[in-house]
Amino acid sequence: ALAPPRIIHVTLADSGHSYSLTRGTRLVVQLSGPTIYIWTEPVSSNPAVLTNTGGSSGSAATATFVAEKTGKARVTAVGSPKCYPLCLMPSRLFTLSASVVG
């Protein structure tokens, strides 16, 4: 019998981290908070390596990726304050690096 695919859950606290994934691993990104921020849907810099299978944007943004083939990809999303540009608060960047092996 085949083992179920491995699932790795990441949040805003994991921004800046690097992950080594085996093919078939699911990477689930869940971004939320502070409530003043609206997040873009997380995206992969290399969809052939890390394929997005669904997601959403908003005050709680999500995306699910599947490690498809050997290579490297970055996952990014931007959180912009609801009050921008009036409040002049900076946007926040979520980013992580993934290397797909085997």
Side-chain angles (χ1 to χ4, degrees), residues 9-61:
H9 292 271
V10 296
T11 66
L12 188 57
D14 299 307
S15 185
H17 293 188
S18 296
Y19 294 86
S20 181
L21 311 174
T22 54
R23 286 180 41 206
T25 299
R26 294 188 186 284
L27 179 69
V28 178
V29 180
Q30 296 176 309
L31 305 177
S32 62
T35 56
I36 194 167
Y37 285 93
I38 299 291
W39 290 93
T40 61
E41 180 178 335
V43 296
S44 169
S45 65
N46 191 341
V49 171
L50 207 55
T51 302
N52 186 333
T53 61
S56 64
S57 59
S59 56

